[in-house]
Amino acid sequence: MFGKYYRIILILLFLSMPLFLLGNGGPVKEAGIVGTGNIVLKNERNISLVTEDLDITLHPDDVSVTVAYKLYNRGRQKNVSYGFPVDYYQQMAMVQGWQNSYVRGYTIKINGRTAAYSEHSESKPIKTDKTKGAVMRRWFLSNLLFKKGYNYINVTYMVSAYLSDWENSKSPTRIVSKRAFSYSMNPAGNWGYGRVKKLKVTIDATEVFSRGIVLDDTLSPDYKKKGGRFIAVFRNFVLIGHDVDLSWDISSLYARDPGINKQHGHNDNQQDRQNSGPHR
């Protein structure tokens, strides 16, 4: 009889153990970025995407992105509304809603001239993740003047990688999550007929490799490794339905380097980052 009750008590204690463990710890660093995407606009059949050069440079906690588009306008000169999307989780343990630190240094140029932009967040989720909740979208919006013939758009920015690090107050060991970044090709499918004649993608992992960080094997065989960079060239490429999904494990960096600043995830003596970059 007592054995049955003891078993019940042991089961209850076992089930409650995670609550005791989490009671003395919690998140210390988070960024709820789901991913970014290609340029978007209303369906413009007269403007086709000729080439796209996508460069993605990986840093321990961030990603630098540079994109160069060559487009052809078969019609008259016209103003076109352009949008660059950034998706993020509405609710994290430490942060809620959009954080200005998620995207830094955003610039857009058309035909060599810097264009103005405004920011706008959609009021309703674009989707709901079963484990992480609502995914919201923020837009960086511009009104661009397209001349007849060839036009060139350049977009640059730095974005936080998705991360969620935790610590236990009784232990100096940090539970470091993998960093993740996703780049959706879908939005640019609204240019012309959703194809690009030539797409070049470069993913520059030189910095993370130099610091002993491991990049997960998510790239297709189309990518050829050259030093710390992965390069792929696609022709007559269908943009819709193809994303670039990357993840990398920085846990060895924390285990090896006690000088890491735990508030920012960077070494106190870290040099300025190098620019470079991407995937499919």
Side-chain angles (χ1 to χ4, degrees), residues 152-172:
Y152 302 86
I153 296 177
N154 297 87
V155 179
T156 61
Y157 58 92
M158 179 175 281
V159 62
S160 298
Y162 173 81
L163 60 94
S164 182
D165 295 351
W166 290 65
E167 276 184 357
N168 189 310
S169 61
K170 294 183 178 180
S171 170

Side-chain angles (χ1 to χ4, degrees), residues 109-145:
K109 294 182 178 180
I110 181 165
N111 298 323
R113 301 185 66 177
T114 300
Y117 69 90
S118 61
E119 299 182 36
H120 171 74
S121 289
E122 294 191 15
S123 59
K124 296 181 179 180
I126 60 168
K127 63 181 179 180
T128 300
D129 187 294
K130 290 183 179 179
T131 58
K132 298 184 179 70
V135 177
M136 308 299 292
R137 176 165 289 174
R138 190 170 182 89
W139 289 97
F140 290 68
L141 304 172
S142 295
N143 192 38
L144 305 180
L145 178 63

